[in-house]
Amino acid sequence: MLTSLQIAVKKLRRIPSDQLLKRSFLGIKKYLTGYPYYITVQTVSACNLKCKHCFINDYHTEIHDGVIKIMKLDEFERFAERLTPLIKHASFFTFSTFEAILNKYLFQMMDRILEINPRMQFPFLSNTMELALDKIRQLERYPISEINISLDGYTKRTVEDFKTEVVFEKIIETIGLLQQSSLRDKLAVTFVAHRNNVQELPDYVDFVARLGIKKIYVSNVLSFTANLAPLTLYSPEGNPGAQALFDEAVQRARQNRISLSMPRLKPEKLGCQATEAFYVDIKGNVAPCDFLGVTTPFTLWGKTTSSPPLFFGNIFKEDAVKIWRKAAAKEFRKAHRLGKQLPSQCVNCIDAYGLMCSNRIHHIA
C-alpha cells in the first residue's frame, strides 16, 4: 500500500497542471480496472525517411532482428480481435511509433477500433511528407487527440541536414493546411535537440508561434550507436551552455503564451512512461516499448549496451489481458514508476533519466 501511494504522489507531481484532472482520472481507472489506457500496435514498422538519429535506420545492420513491414487490413483485423478486451477499456490507440500514414488502410483500421470502443482517441505523429490535403480531410473525421509534427529547427538547412530526405517547405505548407482545418487546436510540434540545432531553439519558439502552434515538445537526441554520441547535449554534470538556451526558450514560450515541455540536461533516475502503454509489435509480441521489441543498442556516457528483445508474451498465443497482468510485466512497470532500481535493459536508455520524452518539465501557457 505504501509503495502504491509513493508511486501515485510521484506521478501527480509530474503531471502538467492543465492535464491534472484528466490524467489523474485515467491513472485511477487503470489502477482500479487492471487495464492499460494506452495501446500501441505497430501497424507500420517502416518509414519514408532515413533519418540518421532513428533506430529504424539500423534495422538489418546493428539491429539484426528488426522487421520492416506494413500491416495488411486482414492482419489488423486479427490483432483487433485478440485485443478487443483491452481496446474496450483503453482511452488512446496509436497505430505506429513510426509514420502511421504510410499504411493505406489506416482509416479503415480507425473505423474498426471505433466499432469496438466509440470513445477511443487517436494520437497522431507525422513528418508530414505523406500528409497531403486529402489525408488531412480524412483525419478531420476521426477523434484525433493530438497531431504532433516533427520539426527540428526553423531553417531549411538545419531541418534538412538532420532529417534525411525531409523537405522543409513541405512541413511548413502542411502546418498551414492543418491550421485551416478542424485539427488546428490539436496541433503540436516536437523538436529533437542536439549540438547542431540547439542554438535555434529560442528563435524556434517565436517561429512556431507565428505558425499559430501553441504546444512544443522538446526531446534530447537518443544515441543508439556511438557515432551519434557527439550530437548529444546532456552529461552527468549537465550542460550550462545548452541550459541557458533552454531557459531562454522557456521565457520566449511565456511571452508567446505557448506550452513548452522540456527534457533535462542532467540525468535523474525517474523511470520511463513508455512502459505504461500496451505495446504490440507487427508479429504480435508484447514488449515494454518499441526499443525493447528488438535488439536495440544504447550508448550512454561512452558505453554501448545491447540486450535481447524483452517480450512478456504474444497476443496470438496468450490472452492479451493476462499478458498485461503478468507478474513480470507488472514488476517491470513498477520499477519504472518508482525509478530507483531500473531494469537492466533500460539502464543505458536516456528516457529513464528524464532526458527524452518521459518526465519532461512542463511550462504551461
Side-chain angles (χ1 to χ4, degrees):
M1 184 65 183
L2 180 60
T3 298
S4 297
L5 184 60
Q6 289 173 327
I7 291 171
V9 170
K10 180 180 175 183
K11 282 187 168 292
L12 284 170
R13 286 175 176 170
R14 295 177 187 161
I15 296 175
S17 57
D18 63 335
Q19 299 176 27
L20 185 59
L21 288 177
K22 180 180 178 182
R23 293 271 295 274
S24 297
F25 171 76
L26 290 173
I28 292 169
K29 178 183 174 183
K30 180 174 63 175
Y31 179 78
L32 293 176
T33 64
Y35 290 93
Y37 65 78
Y38 201 114
I39 298 171
T40 295
V41 174
Q42 203 76 303
T43 59
V44 174
S45 60
C47 191
N48 53 326
L49 303 180
K50 298 183 184 298
C51 303
K52 63 188 74 172
H53 67 291
C54 181
F55 77 124
I56 199 173
N57 217 31
D58 297 317
Y59 275 24
H60 299 167
T61 54
E62 283 86 355
I63 303 176
H64 58 84
D65 48 359
V67 175
I68 296 176
K69 181 181 176 182
I70 296 178
M71 190 181 292
K72 296 179 180 177
L73 188 58
D74 61 334
E75 292 178 290
F76 182 77
E77 177 58 44
R78 293 194 290 273
F79 275 74
E81 181 180 355
R82 297 294 297 177
L83 292 170
T84 290
L86 295 182
I87 293 169
K88 286 181 177 179
H89 289 86
S91 298
F92 301 96
F93 193 105
T94 304
F95 292 88
S96 180
T97 56
F98 299 115
E99 190 70 18
I101 202 74
L102 290 177
N103 197 312
K104 65 181 179 180
Y105 303 113
L106 174 63
F107 300 110
Q108 290 163 274
M109 292 174 175
M110 287 183 174
D111 289 333
R112 181 67 185 105
I113 297 302
L114 291 173
E115 286 176 7
I116 301 170
N117 181 352
R119 299 176 304 279
M120 189 71 82
Q121 296 184 71
F122 304 124
F124 187 79
L125 312 171
S126 182
N127 58 45
T128 78
M129 293 302 102
E130 300 293 328
L131 193 55
L133 182 59
D134 61 325
K135 297 292 194 306
I136 292 173
R137 291 286 178 259
Q138 288 179 284
L139 283 171
E140 287 182 294
R141 298 171 42 232
Y142 292 92
I144 305 297
S145 59
E146 183 174 86
I147 182 161
N148 194 321
I149 303 301
S150 177
L151 180 62
D152 305 305
Y154 75 92
T155 64
K156 177 179 175 69
R157 179 177 180 179
T158 299
V159 172
E160 294 186 1
D161 179 67
F162 187 57
K163 294 183 76 70
T164 310
E165 298 180 18
V166 78
V167 179
F168 177 73
E169 291 85 357
K170 174 65 170 68
I171 299 174
I172 305 307
E173 177 189 352
T174 304
I175 289 175
L177 293 173
L178 287 164
Q179 287 290 6
Q180 297 170 34
S181 76
S182 61
L183 298 167
R184 58 186 172 275
D185 293 332
K186 307 291 186 182
L187 193 56
V189 291
T190 291
F191 178 100
V192 178
H194 54 83
R195 291 191 179 274
N196 296 338
N197 73 350
V198 68
Q199 71 282 348
E200 289 192 6
L201 184 55
D203 290 337
Y204 173 90
V205 175
D206 295 334
F207 176 75
V208 164
R210 291 195 294 272
L211 294 176
I213 295 168
K214 296 298 182 181
K215 185 176 289 186
I216 300 173
Y217 299 101
V218 179
S219 296
N220 280 301
V221 66
L222 196 165
S223 179
F224 295 105
T225 52
N227 63 306
L228 289 172
L231 285 177
T232 60
L233 296 168
Y234 45 84
S235 76
E237 301 79 26
N239 184 332
Q243 189 62 59
L245 292 165
F246 276 26
D247 293 342
E248 175 62 23
V250 171
Q251 293 302 317
R252 300 278 189 96
R254 288 172 178 159
Q255 292 166 8
N256 286 291
R257 297 184 179 179
I258 287 178
S259 295
L260 177 62
S261 297
M262 303 288 287
R264 292 156 179 79
L265 290 167
K266 182 178 180 179
E268 295 181 39
K269 195 182 288 186
L270 298 170
C272 178
Q273 294 180 3
T275 61
E276 298 295 335
F278 190 84
Y279 170 82
V280 189
D281 75 8
I282 206 155
K283 295 180 179 179
N285 297 311
V286 178
C289 68
D290 52 353
F291 297 152
L292 297 184
V294 290
T295 309
T296 303
F298 298 101
T299 299
L300 187 63
W301 321 139
K303 180 182 179 182
T304 301
T305 60
S306 184
S307 301
L310 176 61
F311 298 134
F312 296 129
N314 184 291
I315 63 169
F316 297 111
K317 298 178 181 178
E318 301 176 68
D319 179 81
V321 177
K322 290 181 179 178
I323 295 173
W324 174 255
R325 295 176 179 172
K326 274 185 179 181
K330 291 168 71 174
E331 286 301 312
F332 196 95
R333 294 193 295 272
K334 181 179 175 182
H336 276 281
R337 290 168 184 169
L338 288 171
K340 293 179 180 178
Q341 186 163 349
L342 298 172
S344 61
Q345 297 91 343
C346 305
V347 294
N348 245 35
C349 178
I350 66 169
D351 213 8
Y353 301 95
L355 299 172
M356 198 171 77
C357 306
S358 295
N359 299 305
R360 292 183 177 104
I361 300 168
H362 303 286
H363 304 275
I364 308 303

